[in-house]
Amino acid sequence: MAELPATPLLDDLEKGPWPSFVTEIKNAALHKDSCKDLLGQLERSYREKIGHWKHGGIVGVLGYGGGVIGRYSDLPKEFPGIAHFHTLRINQPSGWFYTSKALRDICDLWEEHGSGLTNMHGSTGDIILLGTTTDELEPTFKALTDVGFDIGGSGSDVRTPSCCVGPARCEWACYDTLKVCYQLTMDYQDEIHRPMFPYKFKFKMSGCPNDCVASIARSDMSIIGTWRDDIQQDDAAVKEYADKGLNIQRDVVGNCPGQCMEWDGEKLTIDNDLCRRCMHCINAMPKALAPGKDRGATILLGSKAPIVEGALLSSVLIPFLKIDNEEDFKDLQALVEEIWEVWGEEGKNRERVGEFIQRVGMANFLEAIGLEPVAEMVAHPRENPYVFYNQGDDEEEDK
Amino acid sequence: MAELPATPLLDDLEKGPWPSFVTEIKNAALHKDSCKDLLGQLERSYREKIGHWKHGGIVGVLGYGGGVIGRYSDLPKEFPGIAHFHTLRINQPSGWFYTSKALRDICDLWEEHGSGLTNMHGSTGDIILLGTTTDELEPTFKALTDVGFDIGGSGSDVRTPSCCVGPARCEWACYDTLKVCYQLTMDYQDEIHRPMFPYKFKFKMSGCPNDCVASIARSDMSIIGTWRDDIQQDDAAVKEYADKGLNIQRDVVGNCPGQCMEWDGEKLTIDNDLCRRCMHCINAMPKALAPGKDRGATILLGSKAPIVEGALLSSVLIPFLKIDNEEDFKDLQALVEEIWEVWGEEGKNRERVGEFIQRVGMANFLEAIGLEPVAEMVAHPRENPYVFYNQGDDEEEDK
Amino acid sequence: MAEATKRVTDIGPPHYEKFLPEIIKKNYGTWKYHEVLKPGVMVHVGESGDKLFTVRAAGARLMSIYRIREIADLADKYSGGHLRFTSRHNIEFLLTDSANIEPLIAGLKEIGHPIGGIGNSISSIVHTQGWIHCHSAATDASGVVKAVMDEVFPHFEKMDLPGKLRIALACCLNMCGAVHCSDIAILGVHTRPPKTDFATVNKVCEIPNVVASCPTAAIRPVTADGNRTVEVIEEQCMFCANCFTVCPAMPMNDPDTDGISIWVGGKVSNARTEPQFSKLAIPFLPNNPPRWPEVTSAVSNLVELWAANARPFERMGEWIDRITWPRFFKMAGLEFHPEHIDDFKHAGLTYKRSMHLVR
Amino acid sequence: MAEATKRVTDIGPPHYEKFLPEIIKKNYGTWKYHEVLKPGVMVHVGESGDKLFTVRAAGARLMSIYRIREIADLADKYSGGHLRFTSRHNIEFLLTDSANIEPLIAGLKEIGHPIGGIGNSISSIVHTQGWIHCHSAATDASGVVKAVMDEVFPHFEKMDLPGKLRIALACCLNMCGAVHCSDIAILGVHTRPPKTDFATVNKVCEIPNVVASCPTAAIRPVTADGNRTVEVIEEQCMFCANCFTVCPAMPMNDPDTDGISIWVGGKVSNARTEPQFSKLAIPFLPNNPPRWPEVTSAVSNLVELWAANARPFERMGEWIDRITWPRFFKMAGLEFHPEHIDDFKHAGLTYKRSMHLVR
Ligand code: SRM
Ligand code: SRM
Ligand code: SRM
Ligand code: SRM
Ligand code: SF4
Ligand code: SF4
Ligand code: SF4
Ligand code: SF4
Ligand code: SF4
Ligand code: SF4
Ligand code: SF4
Ligand code: SF4
């Protein structure tokens, strides 16, 4: 193996306290020519202030329509090791839990079949195996399934779902995020592997409104835990926080969006009817307060990044849904599939479900999927008087 | 004069504590045939649940393009007294101040030339002389000018400006609303009387952010008083309010949108740098607090009712403008005229200035009227990354 | 004489100074504070120490000259002939002598003008023409206003509310009452498309203007029986009547399907919270003259609900924002319909994009 | 043997239970509370009384298998082989024996992985591919992230901030890092229209798709030299690169005019306030590899300004909302440019429609 290329600019990024990706590439470059060329090309990008990758091509493994991102250098002569440099997206386990053994399995197969570089993880949540040739795709896939892993989503399919650590380690999880994530992933293997939608569809599950997987901002369907009974409250523990210096009036009560707390210096009173389940007071006093016991999830729909019609946050579709047993789960799936059917049929090419709803209107969308509107779906009722009164409904309206 | 028509439905509205418009029409009907017919037609509307007026026609006084609303009954045979029943809009004095003499002058001329019915006032602010024939328009106008009054706006012109009571009776007036209202009205007589714009243009002046003429919601240009130094504060008087039972912590401090007040039970501290000049604390304690002494106005642009493109509130154009002397006033007028020029040239037919700005974009509008953008003009900077970077401005941006 | 008949134009309104009482001229711009003495009566105190008493009486707005003369008489008797009207069409007598307050109030009572509307009360309803004068009206204005004010009258006379409550009425979507920012807005609505008079359109209107007038592009030019005319795509019509405004051949009024919608939670002042638009509470109530019982009871229920539950200073919309809209619907016993969900330009921003939900 | 080579598909990921340590299986769903013991270390206590210690180490995200093996070694040594990654790409070791905490931290230090990111600190920067792997990138990702994290590193290691601070980076407007709801977002931007390869468009792309891809309708089909191709109306282009995403013949990358914009005040959690989008703070900073000094100093200034002025629990956007945007611009020494004023679909709603202004 020849020596590493000179990378004076990149070398600077080996300094400093934060772990260095340059060091990582160099480590890999000691074993892999592709990484040496990657270093070389990247140094050139740093010098020229421009990337050197061509527009992706369509590559993949047999029978799958997604999960591999084709990538080619625009300087293949100079950097032949990365003439092809495709990425595989590997479906991570729920909650990103691993054993050292599982990680080693992946390292081993990637040592054999690819660049030895990864992203742990991609921003959708997959394990990213970063860089291999077209020829190695099938063998990599075989090696993967041998150790029990499978490829995730890309293209106009269901993207690899992801979830927060949830009940595995968090006292606030209001439903089993890992299980729901796993079950949806398994039930929608076909939809993950074979693009059949107008555009991508992402699921993300957070166990409570803290939303530790940013699902409300980054998934077409956001499933976020919540509760509907009273906050569990331990008065003695509240007092302890106060005694230890927490300014309950200013920093807890004063920040409550429901304006539904009172603190008299001794006792905290919560008007649970007006609690918005924002989590703030619970976050501030984890030993004293906890979500109620009647737990479930809110289903929200439609978030995405700006392309094409502007960024969206998910909005409430089902204010409260129990997801405790098989039956609850079937309800959720029925909803999902109803949505896919309507969007699949009427969505335009490259139109995310959120954009679709923006285009056809929430009320029409609800009618199409057969869901009754409820006040929880809107931040506030309409301000403009341009109402499409339903001309058949006179009697009803007059009531 | 014949007896009044039977009006069983309307008669019911003579009962009850609130002053009755039916009684008013009946009073007038004792003297005026037109009002008798108005009663008759209105009773019929009440029976049939539908109005009986035809689409307005264009009528007016010589040389004026606005100020008269043509109106014709659709049942002229049955109600000949209101076959023509036009309205005159009379420009009210600033602040709706009158003497009994002035009111009597108007009553007298309207007794002679019209129905004897009025609105005191119309919702733009004019005195409304409700109902006369085409023939009487010119004589009414003559009689009006004889007693020193003139017609107001209608159609695509400057509408009759109106203002709050301001310095005449309010301790919070931050500029002279009556004077500014009067001066603009006088300087724009031509624009008020001769429609020459794409659509109507309304001015409303409020002396402080309480906005007692609803100018932020109802005028193309809203001129609202404010201040920029510290709130004037009388600590003893604050204490008095507290002693008399005002819950300063909960109801004043707790409602401050700037979250910039502190109350320790004895002393109120305001962080005036973060005060949003909302008026709340001053409203709550008028004897203890008052706007600062460095007073002026904010100029906002664009509010209107929903037709056509949706309702708008005015938005900030000039965060703070002194309007103390002739020179300040000229600045304001220069701004107004610049806006009229741009909107007059590029506005579409029936496009209010607010809709025009919505269409062309605030930044483009500012450039056209030659005003530098400032952060006060927006609630927040853009959220979407679709930035039209100015391709000539590189150096500046790179700075 | 010849000179005297020369036509005078563009003189504008009389200068306001002519109408100001001495005490105002003297204390102009130097008022120090005010105090509400009792419902309908307040005093403004100048830095000079001068006191100006204001008595506010209900305005009928639609007034005959005979009534105005009575009012002028009262002003002559008690306020040196000085009075003004307010931005909500009430009448304010400007007194310097507090001894005149009670006699004035008695005189007002005699002619049927109660006093009130100051402070935390309901003031007059800003409103429009209705069947009295406008061709566009989907409901009457003055009649509904009279019926509602009779109903909520105690709150005009007393100051027993958490804050100010502003009601406004407009008889069609043109919203001449600018009801769009009111605590409670009463809005006349059509609920059926225009009944186009196909044969006349071409004669009385400019077809391109008619087509352009429609905010939802529901109108298209067509040729029927050799005539150039227009056609309305009915599913696309949301009954705004803007086509009728520009073209008489597109009438909208209908005795059975016209009615009233109720909107809540708007405000204009900047006090505490920023100005807000009103939001749809009740999509449709029928026109039932002379007293519109469905409307008066709906308004009255909303007022009482707010009065019983809001905190001091909290306007209707501020209260609802605190308790959230779903809870408001529940408390008010209102049903949530598809009509409540916005579907105009910025509709997407009104969807609930957070987990802030109450149970 | 023949059977063994049968192609296996659609098996999905391994079941997570296989990877959970015993203590988690036992206390699954019954954790009682947690406590942050020190920066980078927390304990979760079960109703059972069991204690699970978590040590969080900085993730490099872009890691070689050699590094991962070292991490696996540490897990074997101190956490029974159990570890996980976080949603922000950090590494969490799951320990049952508190005695292992310090040795693990020492081991991590040795291999260059500092611990931190828990509580009121800056965690790892969610980011994307940049020049490492993407054709679309207007800037690099990993390099900018490394430079910024080196700069703000003390706030990763300490918990000295008013609240959490989340930074994210995306190298183009596709925003794979979903930076749109971050306290501080670093966004790669193009600032020039595509350099259309007129001759090729027709060959490599579907012209209707290209035309449809443009959010501002800046692309129109034309015929040039007898070829069907497309033309960009440059004044209408806002450089989103969506045309390039669907068509390689519309390249955007440019060494001189590509760069970085900075956005602030977004959040995702529902704690206290609702989720919010980030807003534009700095329209453009140049690409200056390897350390992007303009970007690191801009970010660091914003962090320090917030840290010095915000109240406890107040996220960046919550703080700015309290002090208002104009004041934030002043305090941060930022200039306000026309670029800051929105001009996309809902722009009108971002204009300041109230008098709530600070001086
Ligand atoms: C690898 C990854 C970035 C990373 O470094 O982590 C990535 C990389 C790409 N994304 Fe992404 N996206 C990745 C997560 C995201 C996310 C974040 C998320 O899922 O939470 C978003 C924003 C959320 C969303 O979905 O809106 C995202 C929004 C986009 C978009 C925006 C269009 C859209 O509305 O979907 C595009 C453009 C497109 O689809 O045409 C895009 C397109 C791309 C492409 C395929 C480039 C292209 O135009 O073809 C990138 C390939 C880069 C490469 O060469 O490897 N990527 N992309 C992430 C996937 C890794 C994984 O599977 O775990
Ligand atoms: C008389 C008055 C209502 C009243 O009873 O007080 C009124 C009456 C009419 N308005 Fe108005 N508007 C009146 C104040 C308003 C206001 C309130 C204001 O000025 O504060 C508004 C909302 C604010 C605004 O300007 O947006 C208002 C928004 C409209 C509109 C909505 C279109 C627009 O955006 O301007 C129309 C329709 C139009 O212009 O085509 C309209 C049209 C009309 C017409 C001329 C009907 C028409 O379509 O031709 C009405 C004549 C009624 C009649 O027969 O007398 N009127 N109109 C008000 C004028 C009295 C005065 O001069 O003092
Ligand atoms: C006379 C009048 C001005 C005029 O030139 O005509 C006026 C006069 C005063 N207003 Fe007003 N306001 C008047 C219409 C308004 C309006 C406009 C409207 O209703 O269409 C508003 C905005 C309403 C809204 O937000 O929708 C208005 C919002 C206020 C506020 C803010 C109330 C709030 O908490 O939101 C105050 C402060 C207060 O009451 O504490 C105020 C305070 C006052 C004070 C106390 C000012 C003063 O120091 O003299 C005056 C007597 C108060 C009272 O009525 O309780 N005035 N005031 C108007 C009386 C209308 C009427 O007959 O009822
Ligand atoms: C491990 C992780 C979940 C996972 O499955 O991977 C996680 C774990 C915890 N989060 Fe989180 N959060 C994690 C990402 C997030 C995200 C997502 C993100 O950053 O992209 C958010 C939303 C951020 C936002 O709003 O932009 C998030 C918003 C919160 C909040 C709300 C903070 C706030 O005030 O807005 C809390 C409550 C708190 O910290 O008091 C919280 C609290 C917690 C607790 C205390 C929950 C618990 O009881 O165990 C956990 C440790 C807290 C800590 O790191 O300080 N977690 N947390 C994620 C760690 C990421 C990292 O490496 O830094
Ligand atoms: S989203 Fe809630 S349940 Fe999930 S890890 Fe975060 S705090 Fe815990
Ligand atoms: S969860 Fe949020 S809304 Fe509910 S009481 Fe606690 S701070 Fe208030
Ligand atoms: S707007 Fe302000 S200055 Fe004018 S009357 Fe109302 S409170 Fe007084
Ligand atoms: S005027 Fe408003 S923002 Fe200013 S201190 Fe008073 S309540 Fe606070
Ligand atoms: S609101 Fe409509 S119906 Fe009423 S006066 Fe105005 S234009 Fe006429
Ligand atoms: S009523 Fe309004 S929406 Fe219907 S056709 Fe006429 S202009 Fe169009
Ligand atoms: S943000 Fe843009 S440049 Fe970066 S990885 Fe995603 S698509 Fe590629
Ligand atoms: S970069 Fe975006 S705005 Fe410009 S032409 Fe391409 S798609 Fe249109």
Side-chain angles (χ1 to χ4, degrees), chain B residues 231 256-258 260-261 270 275-281:
Chain B
I231 288 179
C256 168
C260 63
M261 310 182 91
I270 302 177
C275 167
R276 299 187 179 191
R277 280 113 190 111
C278 83
M279 289 296 295
H280 172 65
C281 58

Side-chain angles (χ1 to χ4, degrees), chain A residues 50-51, chain D residues 129-131 134-141 171-172 188 190 244 253 258:
Chain A
I50 195 163
Chain D
Q129 295 300 329
W131 294 333
C134 194
H135 63 296
S136 233
T139 187
D140 189 32
C171 22
C172 85
H190 306 291
F244 176 57
N253 295 346
D258 287 350

Side-chain angles (χ1 to χ4, degrees), chain D residues 211-271:
Chain D
V211 170
S213 74
C214 182
T216 60
I219 304 178
R220 64 182 165 205
V222 289
T223 308
D225 305 330
N227 267 335
R228 289 181 56 248
T229 179
V230 299
E231 178 182 75
V232 172
I233 309 161
E234 302 211 343
E235 312 80 63
Q236 240 163 281
C237 173
M238 43 65 186
F239 326 116
C240 70
N242 198 38
C243 51
F244 176 57
T245 296
V246 305
C247 178
M250 316 275 293
M252 301 286 301
N253 295 346
D254 184 295
D256 299 320
T257 58
D258 287 350
I260 279 174
S261 56
I262 307 285
W263 305 69
V264 301
K267 77 190 276 273
V268 164
S269 85
N270 288 274

Side-chain angles (χ1 to χ4, degrees), chain A residues 31 88 133 144 162 184 203 212 231 237 259 291 326 334 353 359 390:
Chain A
H31 307 86
L88 289 113
T133 57
L144 266 174
S162 77
L184 287 176
F203 286 104
C212 293
I231 288 179
Q259 296 178 46
E326 252 332 280
V353 73
R359 175 166 63 84
N390 192 329

Side-chain angles (χ1 to χ4, degrees), chain D residues 61-307:
Chain D
R61 201 178 93 112
L62 196 170
M63 289 195 288
S64 69
I65 54 174
Y66 313 102
R67 171 66 45 134
I68 297 175
R69 285 173 181 152
E70 287 177 320
I71 289 164
D73 290 344
L74 287 172
D76 282 338
K77 214 156 153 192
Y78 301 114
S79 62
H82 287 288
L83 77 175
R84 71 180 290 270
F85 292 81
T86 72
S87 64
R88 299 192 77 85
H89 317 307
N90 287 312
I91 311 160
E92 290 186 337
F93 295 85
L94 305 164
L95 288 70
T96 41
D97 185 353
S98 64
N100 279 332
I101 296 175
E102 292 309 322
L104 169 60
I105 294 174
L108 282 163
K109 202 166 179 183
E110 220 164 280
I111 64 165
H113 281 264
I115 66 158
I118 289 180
N120 292 343
S121 62
I122 296 183
S123 184
S124 290
I125 297 180
V126 167
H127 63 280
T128 47
Q129 295 300 329
W131 294 333
I132 292 280
H133 203 264
C134 194
H135 63 296
S136 233
T139 187
D140 189 32
S142 315
V144 184
V145 164
K146 162 77 173 143
V148 170
M149 283 310 293
D150 279 348
E151 182 84 19
V152 300
F153 183 72
H155 299 301
F156 174 81
E157 275 202 321
K158 282 180 236 154
M159 301 188 296
D160 56 356
L161 297 173
K164 286 185 166 20
L165 187 110
R166 305 304 208 198
I167 309 177
L169 176 146
C171 22
C172 85
L173 265 56
N174 282 338
M175 283 204 192
C176 296
V179 307
H180 55 301
C181 294
S182 304
D183 294 286
I184 300 180
I186 305 171
L187 178 65
V189 291
H190 306 291
T191 65
R192 292 298 177 278
K195 296 165 196 132
T196 315
D197 181 350
F198 298 100
T200 348
V201 174
N202 198 15
K203 282 164 206 139
V204 294
C205 319
E206 305 267 342
I207 287 184
N209 282 353
V210 180
V211 170
S213 74
C214 182
T216 60
I219 304 178
R220 64 182 165 205
V222 289
T223 308
D225 305 330
N227 267 335
R228 289 181 56 248
T229 179
V230 299
E231 178 182 75
V232 172
I233 309 161
E234 302 211 343
E235 312 80 63
Q236 240 163 281
C237 173
M238 43 65 186
F239 326 116
C240 70
N242 198 38
C243 51
F244 176 57
T245 296
V246 305
C247 178
M250 316 275 293
M252 301 286 301
N253 295 346
D254 184 295
D256 299 320
T257 58
D258 287 350
I260 279 174
S261 56
I262 307 285
W263 305 69
V264 301
K267 77 190 276 273
V268 164
S269 85
N270 288 274
R272 300 169 305 284
T273 51
E274 299 187 303
Q276 288 196 25
F277 290 119
S278 311
K279 279 100 184 163
L280 180 62
I282 305 175
F284 189 84
L285 294 169
N287 273 330
N288 261 333
R291 286 259 165 206
W292 281 266
E294 295 85 352
V295 175
T296 54
S297 89
V299 170
S300 157
N301 287 344
L302 290 169
V303 171
E304 298 309 331
L305 189 69
W306 164 74

Side-chain angles (χ1 to χ4, degrees), chain C residues 159-180:
Chain C
M159 301 187 296
D160 56 355
L161 296 174
K164 285 184 167 25
L165 187 110
R166 304 305 208 200
I167 309 178
L169 176 146
C171 23
C172 84
L173 265 56
N174 282 339
M175 283 203 193
C176 296
V179 307
H180 56 300

